[in-house]
Amino acid sequence: MKKERLLEHYSRFSTREFEASMTYHGDDLGAVWTEEETRFRVWAPTAEQVVVNLYRTGEQSDLLQKIIMKKASGGTWTATVRGNLNGIYYTYLVTVEQETKEAVDPYAKAVGVNGKRGMIIDLSSTNPPGFTSETKPEFINDTDAILYELHIRDFSIDPSSGMVHRGKYLAFTETGTKNSYGDATGIDYLKQLGITHVHLLPAFDYGTVDEARLQTPQFNWGYDPVNYNVPEGSYSTDPYRGEVRIREFKQMVQALHSQGIRVVMDVVYNHTLESGNSNFNCIVPGYYYRLTPEGDFSNASGCGNETASERVMMRKFIIDSLLYWNREYHIDGFRFDLMGIHDIRTMKEVRKALDEAEAGILLYGEGWTGGLSPLPDHERAMKSNIRSMGGGIAAFNDNIRDGIKGSVFHQEEPGYISGKPGMEDTIKYGVVAATQHDWVDYSKVLGADYPWALEPTQAVNYASAHDNHTLWDKIALSTPYDSREDRVRMNLLSAAIILTSQGIPFWQAGEEFLRSKPLNEEKTWFDGNSYASPDRVNSLKWELVTENREVVDYYRGLIEFRKKYSVLRMTKTAELEAHLHFLKWLDTNLIAFILTHPKEGEVCVIYNANKSWQPVHIPEGEWKVYAKGKRAGNQVLDTNTGGVVNIEPISAMIMVR
Ligand code: CA
């Protein structure tokens, strides 16, 4: 469609008249299957004609039938086909202003290879035994979560995983797997580690891995959505048969749940791989995206386009999609990619819809965009607006991320753990989960001079994610003259900060075994953007869980401790104000605080980023030490009577009385 015409459509879509007459509220968009018939309904309010094509397969020239659809309510078109169509593939032919395009149904629940066609499916046939009656691991408060960010292929593709279904959903169903040292890998390892949620990098159908040539190793993070309501095919054992990826995805979720681990999906509703030729745009040109005044796709995602969540039917699509993943696949939480592209109202409606569906569904996202957006600042679901979004939506705390290890944009810049002075208030800002606390000097906080979180449930604290260098690589790049021993201590101190801070702790898989993404043999050059890098860079190297066992044990110990002490997981800012007190008059690079709880006692946490032993004066009493030096856990390591305690170089100390 010509830009002038597209802009005319675009401006009409925003009018009340259009919304009033052309909004569809029903829950039957897509292909609704029964044994007797399948009913199709697609929203195409500007179309002159819509046809359903039925095919035998997901890719070949094997058209079975064309059915002309009828105009129906709210801008939709419908058709009903008699007979059992389970396993039949379909597309829509949509004609707008005499231009006809073939598109996959955005509401398709199954697709063929590379997502080129939708597939009609009897979803009940895809449930593994016991799936519909499974019970989820208990989960109460958002701050009880310990999030582990994982790419499905990375998890198992390396031979060191000892797994059979390498690179596949089914790898998560494999128990008893071991590395060459005989230590647990895979799901057994995750269970032992004690994390509460696996956060999967994009697992819906994306475009950049060719599912038709899986014998050739290919890798992508998957931030290029094609079919939002269907699992990615390359992680299945057969991407040609639409039902296989669905069943295997469910087996993965079921396996994780059975080991006590919940599942978060990374969702990328903010843009699509294609712009003008995307399924959305072929069906309703100009509706689902924001355009510039010139009629070009605006690009706040940095990936070529940005969706328009403020439009009623885009908002409905997002909510319907999330509810579907929750209901059909039992997904327990969603991480919004570039959440700042979405409007606040949409995110609040998402929260409400999920709350009505099930308690305990996590929602968090990146509180920024990847470029300029025409959506006004005050309407964006940005970190800076998160206070107005309620306690049930969280944002990544990039202030503590950069405070701990140094800016992600300057690889040689150190942070608190690696000796950068003046970072105390930024770390304290993380400790209070970016909320209002009298004992934080906000004027000294890196990148924010105010508490952006209303409640501690709104801050996801982290030092590493898939973006940028791994924590271990960042430490190496920013401390060229330090010993390995000191670098290990820096990593441990980072973990102690993340896991003793209020808010929701998060890290990239493998941070706890010093995951690295080296680009050369000498390991002096590291991949800071491995979105399409080969497996040898990205995969989890499972030998590291043995070779860096002391680091894994430290993380595991901190996780145990965090789970035991609810005072580390407070849910209200008012509780923090009452029960979290920082010690004053400390020397440089020292932070200490005491948490008080009527039953759990007092928990004293001290961070020392100095390379020397440091004395710290604490209240007198019978203190039991649970973390010091390179050890942490629920075992008492030592006792003292308070007064002056000495803290090892680059380490944390945790005591309880
Ligand atoms: Ca795909």
Side-chain angles (χ1 to χ4, degrees):
M1 196 182 287
K2 290 226 167 62
K3 278 186 193 174
E4 301 77 51
R5 292 293 298 141
L6 193 65
L7 280 171
E8 278 177 42
H9 281 250
Y10 187 73
S11 51
R12 197 175 134 233
F13 292 142
S14 303
T15 61
R16 283 215 189 112
E17 292 75 16
F18 182 86
E19 279 197 2
S21 60
M22 293 296 181
T23 297
Y24 184 70
H25 299 286
D27 62 358
D28 60 345
L29 287 164
V32 179
W33 172 92
T34 66
E35 251 178 26
E36 294 75 37
E37 63 181 30
T38 295
R39 283 178 288 114
F40 298 88
R41 188 188 288 273
V42 60
W43 188 71
T46 52
E48 288 130 30
Q49 188 185 54
V50 187
V51 171
V52 188
N53 295 325
L54 299 183
Y55 297 94
R56 175 67 59 195
T57 68
E59 48 155 6
Q60 292 167 27
S61 312
D62 48 10
L63 183 72
L64 297 171
Q65 203 182 338
K66 278 177 176 294
I67 303 107
I68 295 176
M69 301 182 84
K70 291 197 185 81
K71 236 179 190 169
S73 64
T76 64
W77 297 70
T78 59
T80 301
V81 180
R82 300 285 302 166
N84 186 348
L85 267 55
N86 184 27
I88 296 292
Y89 291 81
Y90 75 107
T91 59
Y92 294 127
L93 274 183
V94 183
T95 307
V96 183
E97 305 215 345
Q98 287 107 54
E99 237 181 285
T100 302
K101 292 199 171 172
E102 185 169 14
V104 181
D105 186 352
Y107 277 82
K109 298 180 185 78
V111 295
V113 66
N114 283 322
K116 299 287 185 208
R117 290 176 189 159
M119 192 188 98
I120 300 148
I121 189 154
D122 166 14
L123 282 166
S124 68
S125 71
T126 64
N127 291 326
F131 187 63
T132 51
S133 58
E134 68 157 7
T135 47
K136 292 185 170 194
E138 184 178 297
F139 181 64
I140 299 168
N141 296 318
D142 289 2
T143 48
D144 296 343
I146 299 168
L147 303 172
Y148 192 77
E149 187 200 39
L150 185 58
H151 186 278
I152 292 167
R153 185 176 172 91
D154 289 351
F155 178 65
S156 58
I157 196 68
D158 194 71
S160 62
S161 69
M163 296 182 209
V164 177
H165 300 287
R166 282 165 48 198
K168 304 295 180 188
Y169 298 121
L170 292 180
F172 287 84
T173 67
E174 295 184 46
T175 55
T177 58
K178 298 205 177 339
N179 66 12
S180 64
Y181 298 99
D183 284 320
T185 65
I187 200 162
D188 290 349
Y189 168 83
L190 295 182
K191 187 180 183 183
Q192 287 171 16
L193 186 60
I195 48 126
T196 64
H197 291 66
V198 157
H199 152 152
L200 298 170
L201 263 74
F204 51 72
D205 181 38
Y206 61 80
T208 43
V209 166
D210 184 354
E211 299 174 7
R213 46 178 202 98
L214 293 181
Q215 60 284 8
T216 308
Q218 301 169 71
F219 179 91
N220 206 282
W221 282 342
Y223 292 94
D224 41 76
V226 178
N227 292 293
Y228 283 107
N229 296 318
V230 184
E232 162 59 15
S234 63
Y235 305 138
S236 77
T237 58
D238 185 354
Y240 289 85
R241 287 161 52 216
E243 70 280 13
V244 174
R245 61 179 79 183
I246 299 176
R247 183 178 305 115
E248 291 175 352
F249 192 107
K250 288 176 175 178
Q251 285 177 268
M252 168 182 71
V253 174
Q254 187 181 31
L256 284 160
H257 283 168
S258 74
Q259 300 297 329
I261 299 167
R262 287 183 160 236
V263 184
V264 173
M265 268 180 86
D266 192 338
V267 287
V268 191
Y269 296 110
N270 65 69
H271 77 279
T272 54
L273 172 63
E274 300 274 353
S275 299
N277 288 321
S278 72
N279 295 321
F280 279 149
N281 208 58
C282 288
I283 296 172
V284 196
Y287 181 83
Y288 289 98
Y289 301 91
R290 296 180 191 136
L291 301 182
T292 66
E294 293 75 38
D296 297 313
F297 285 86
S298 62
N299 187 19
S301 68
C303 300
N305 60 67
E306 63 180 282
T307 56
S309 58
E310 66 278 16
R311 294 234 198 262
V312 180
M313 292 303 287
M314 182 66 207
R315 180 179 292 144
K316 174 176 165 56
F317 180 82
I318 293 173
I319 294 170
D320 286 349
S321 178
L322 293 163
L323 289 172
Y324 175 69
W325 283 104
N326 169 248
R327 184 177 67 243
E328 187 64 32
Y329 291 91
H330 303 182
I331 293 297
D332 308 296
F334 299 95
R335 175 267 192 197
F336 276 72
D337 187 61
L338 301 179
M339 185 168 69
I341 290 179
H342 301 309
D343 65 307
I344 290 171
R345 180 174 163 190
T346 293
M347 291 309 300
K348 287 168 94 167
E349 289 194 19
V350 162
R351 179 70 274 174
K352 186 164 169 280
L354 287 166
D355 282 341
E356 283 165 9
E358 186 183 338
I361 302 301
L362 278 177
L363 272 188
Y364 55 99
E366 292 181 309
W368 50 78
T369 67
L372 296 175
S373 172
L375 188 72
D377 277 4
H378 67 275
E379 290 181 27
R380 297 185 200 170
M382 301 285 278
K383 193 178 79 171
S384 53
N385 292 328
I386 205 98
R387 295 177 69 90
S388 67
M389 292 161 69
I393 300 173
F396 283 98
N397 188 353
D398 53 338
N399 309 90
I400 193 170
R401 177 195 70 192
D402 287 0
I404 286 175
K405 66 175 184 178
S407 168
V408 296
F409 301 112
H410 307 288
Q411 65 177 38
E412 279 139 40
E413 185 191 285
Y416 174 73
I417 56 168
S418 33
K420 186 179 181 185
M423 303 308 289
E424 294 87 347
D425 279 284
T426 303
I427 301 303
K428 285 159 82 174
Y429 189 75
V431 169
V432 302
T435 62
Q436 170 60 44
H437 195 283
D438 286 349
W439 295 21
V440 177
D441 182 347
Y442 293 89
S443 71
K444 293 181 183 161
V445 174
L446 189 74
D449 53 7
Y450 67 101
W452 54 256
L454 186 65
E455 305 287 1
T457 49
Q458 288 191 298
V460 175
N461 289 324
Y462 70 123
S464 74
H466 67 278
D467 276 319
N468 313 120
H469 290 106
T470 71
L471 178 59
W472 185 237
D473 292 345
K474 169 69 178 175
I475 291 171
L477 290 165
S478 56
T479 63
Y481 306 110
D482 286 291
S483 64
R484 179 184 164 90
E485 168 68 14
D486 279 355
R487 289 178 183 164
V488 168
R489 286 174 167 272
M490 292 170 193
N491 195 304
L492 300 184
L493 179 56
S494 170
I497 296 167
I498 294 297
L499 282 159
T500 55
S501 285
Q502 304 293 320
I504 303 172
F506 166 106
W507 65 90
Q508 182 187 20
E511 185 193 290
E512 79 285 6
F513 50 76
L514 309 182
R515 182 180 183 179
S516 177
K517 296 181 183 176
L519 287 167
N520 60 352
E521 290 280 321
E522 298 75 31
K523 300 192 177 176
T524 52
W525 182 32
F526 305 104
D527 202 337
N529 184 11
S530 66
Y531 75 99
S533 300
D535 292 327
R536 88 186 129 71
V537 172
N538 278 301
S539 61
L540 298 188
K541 313 296 187 295
W542 287 97
E543 318 298 16
L544 293 175
V545 306
T546 307
E547 290 161 6
N548 297 314
R549 189 196 305 271
E550 65 176 356
V551 184
V552 177
D553 286 346
Y554 189 81
Y555 275 77
R556 186 187 299 130
L558 286 169
I559 290 169
E560 278 174 15
F561 189 82
R562 185 176 178 88
K563 284 182 172 174
K564 186 170 173 191
Y565 289 91
S566 70
V567 76
L568 292 166
R569 299 176 270 115
M570 290 185 270
T571 59
K572 295 286 175 199
T573 300
E575 290 177 89
L576 264 68
E577 285 279 6
H579 302 299
L580 193 166
H581 301 282
F582 288 97
L583 302 187
K584 288 188 172 175
W585 318 118
L586 297 177
D587 280 346
T588 187
N589 295 336
L590 282 168
I591 295 159
F593 55 94
I594 293 178
L595 303 157
T596 53
H597 188 277
K599 292 203 183 88
E600 293 168 2
E602 286 176 274
V603 178
C604 178
V605 180
I606 305 171
Y607 311 139
N608 175 22
N610 296 292
K611 288 185 175 173
S612 52
W613 287 81
Q614 291 290 324
V616 172
H617 198 271
I618 63 166
E620 292 189 350
E622 298 296 317
W623 292 98
K624 290 180 173 140
V625 179
Y626 288 92
K628 67 169 190 170
K630 291 157 79 174
R631 296 181 65 195
N634 284 343
Q635 307 266 334
V636 179
L637 301 174
D638 199 358
T639 57
N640 66 60
T641 54
V644 173
V645 291
N646 286 303
I647 318 297
E648 281 189 31
I650 320 175
S651 74
M653 192 162 180
I654 305 174
M655 293 164 278
V656 180
R657 71 165 181 182

